[in-house]
Amino acid sequence: MNARPAPEFPSWPQFDDSERAGLIRALEQGQWWRMGGSEVNSFEREFADFHGSPHALAVTNGTHALELALQVMGVGPGHEVIVPAFTFISSSQAAQRLGAVAVPVDVDLDTYNIDVAAAAAAVTPRTKAIMPVHMAGLFADMDALGKLSADTGVPLLQDAAHAQGARWQGKRVGELGSIAAFSFQNGKLMTAGEGGAVLFPDEESYELGFLRHSCGRARTDRHYIHQTSGSNMRMNEFSAAVLRAQLARIDDHTAIRDQRWALISRLLGEIDGVVPQGTDPRADRNSHYMAMFRVPGITEEARNELVDTLVAAGLPAFSAFRAIYRTPAFWEMAAPDTTVERLAELCPNTEAISAEGIWLHHRVLLASEDALHATAEFIADAVAAR
């Protein structure tokens, strides 16, 4: 690669006096858990309003958000949950932790989102939920998925870990009528280091979610009457205070990322041998958690070496998620009548993206246009040199 200065990218997480003030506010209120303080309750109202949902429940992390949502939906042993084969492992593990079988299906080679036809083909009488993942902040095809849900009676659970602030045909995540789960892990678009949230479309599911996230105990209980099974997934007051400040700037960040993606995707598309993640005009607001692209034909080993080269040059680059069925964790609770080879045969697009895919952290999209030009030049040099 040419010897040139590394591009300058903003640090992540970002914070200012708003987070400091929130932490002091949480500290000085004298109650540091949600049952006595006010920060979690305030964050839930603000997050629900921002996403057009009547109810939000803040939890400990995004994995727990998915697990709790599935539990509220009645998922348990003997059930199946359809998940995209190309996703972070939490999408499948949340179902498996409840004793259910995660059923991986292929994704679209352009958008990296769940293939609706593949999902439809995987529905059985045991299917309890279909979990589209809005990959990198790009909405899955919610029109087709909504029809599939209506036709089969199988509800959707939106894995919106990447999609804070995203929209589908003008509708926000909470306006689409299904439960949705979010993550606030350190790299996400808004973060408190860890954390998660679940949006519920109705009061009944929200109240059940509250019970299950608080050891089965009602918020007013003083006599240890645990009404249902559950766990302690309660968010603390300090995390909520930080997230309230993070939420206040996400609109501005999303606008910048959207502008920068238009530039970097064009620059990447001009590089011989590079194909950026596609888009869908119906997803009229993409939150751009990642800047993703493929190098078609590259081997997984060569792709990993390419990522190492980019990292050495100062780019926050990562290999794409491994197909969930190509991880040892998946097979601890997998269906006994399938194999890696069979799933790979059913998921050719996932195989390609997992081996050829690279992503850049979203802080790249908060950088200057000059930095994006330099980023594309580094990637072009690295691809040409392999």
Side-chain angles (χ1 to χ4, degrees):
M1 295 178 66
N2 295 332
R4 62 164 67 90
E8 293 187 5
F9 303 115
S11 62
W12 193 264
Q14 293 191 5
F15 62 92
D16 59 22
D17 287 343
S18 299
E19 281 84 356
R20 291 187 183 93
L23 287 169
I24 293 171
R25 189 175 62 239
L27 180 72
E28 292 181 344
Q29 70 177 340
Q31 289 290 329
W32 297 347
W33 72 314
R34 73 158 303 152
M35 304 308 289
S38 63
E39 294 295 325
V40 174
N41 288 334
S42 295
F43 170 65
E44 288 172 340
R45 288 193 300 270
E46 292 160 6
F47 192 76
D49 288 346
F50 181 75
H51 287 96
S53 177
H55 303 285
L57 185 67
V59 296
T60 39
N61 56 62
T63 304
H64 282 164
L66 289 170
E67 187 175 329
L68 178 65
L70 288 171
Q71 194 174 28
V72 169
M73 296 168 74
V75 172
H79 296 142
E80 296 174 352
V81 177
I82 295 172
V83 299
F86 180 71
T87 184
F88 185 66
I89 195 67
S90 289
S91 301
S92 60
Q93 284 189 335
Q96 292 173 314
R97 290 274 296 170
L98 297 174
V101 173
V103 179
V105 299
D106 207 7
V107 298
D108 181 82
L109 190 60
D110 184 44
T111 66
Y112 308 168
N113 281 324
I114 193 168
D115 183 317
V116 181
V123 173
T124 75
R126 296 179 298 278
T127 305
K128 196 71 171 179
I130 300 170
M131 187 191 299
V133 177
H134 303 318
M135 182 55 60
L138 175 65
F139 258 101
D141 187 345
M142 293 302 291
D143 288 355
L145 286 163
K147 183 177 187 305
L148 174 61
S149 176
D151 290 346
T152 61
V154 178
L156 303 178
L157 166 57
Q158 299 178 69
D159 183 337
H162 303 169
Q164 293 92 334
R167 291 178 183 168
W168 175 260
Q169 299 189 117
K171 291 184 177 181
R172 296 167 289 177
V173 173
E175 294 176 309
L176 294 167
S178 56
I179 296 176
F182 294 82
S183 171
F184 308 127
Q185 175 268 346
N186 198 65
K188 296 300 189 294
L189 298 171
M190 49 182 289
T191 180
E194 290 287 1
V198 186
L199 299 182
F200 293 102
D202 58 82
E203 187 170 1
E204 181 181 4
S205 59
Y206 165 75
E207 290 295 344
L208 180 56
F210 190 97
L211 285 175
R212 291 195 182 277
H213 105 298
S214 192
C215 301
R217 190 179 182 192
R219 57 173 60 78
T220 58
D221 174 56
R222 295 191 299 115
H223 304 291
Y224 302 100
I225 306 299
H226 301 273
Q227 299 179 23
T228 186
S229 63
S231 185
N232 181 359
M233 300 181 182
R234 296 185 298 263
M235 179 178 283
N236 67 77
E237 289 286 283
F238 297 107
S239 294
V242 169
L243 287 167
R244 293 181 70 190
Q246 295 271 301
L247 181 62
R249 66 173 65 92
I250 196 168
D251 262 339
D252 290 341
H253 279 183
T254 301
I256 296 170
R257 287 192 302 266
D258 208 27
Q259 292 174 352
R260 298 294 190 264
W261 172 250
L263 173 60
I264 192 67
S265 62
R266 176 177 63 79
L267 295 173
L268 291 173
E270 292 171 355
I271 300 171
D272 187 31
V274 172
V275 179
Q277 181 188 19
T279 188
D280 186 325
R282 296 171 297 175
D284 49 358
R285 196 176 200 218
N286 185 335
S287 52
H288 299 291
Y289 170 58
M290 305 168 178
M292 303 190 75
F293 60 94
R294 291 189 301 119
V295 183
I298 197 172
T299 65
E300 184 175 352
E301 181 180 8
R303 186 276 313 276
N304 292 343
E305 292 174 355
L306 178 57
V307 169
D308 290 342
T309 298
L310 297 177
V311 170
L315 274 61
F318 301 83
S319 298
F321 300 131
R322 182 176 294 273
I324 59 174
Y325 53 79
R326 290 197 176 274
T327 68
F330 175 80
W331 293 98
E332 291 182 9
M333 288 289 292
D337 58 348
T338 191
T339 64
V340 172
E341 293 75 19
R342 176 57 179 157
L343 291 173
E345 181 182 347
L346 292 171
C347 301
N349 294 338
T350 295
E351 289 288 296
I353 298 167
S354 296
E356 303 167 352
I358 295 174
W359 62 275
L360 306 174
H361 186 262
H362 62 82
R363 65 190 180 94
V364 169
L365 299 176
L366 296 176
S368 67
E369 292 189 3
D370 287 344
L372 295 189
H373 280 278
T375 296
E377 290 169 2
F378 272 108
I379 293 171
D381 289 347
V383 170
R386 68 180 178 86

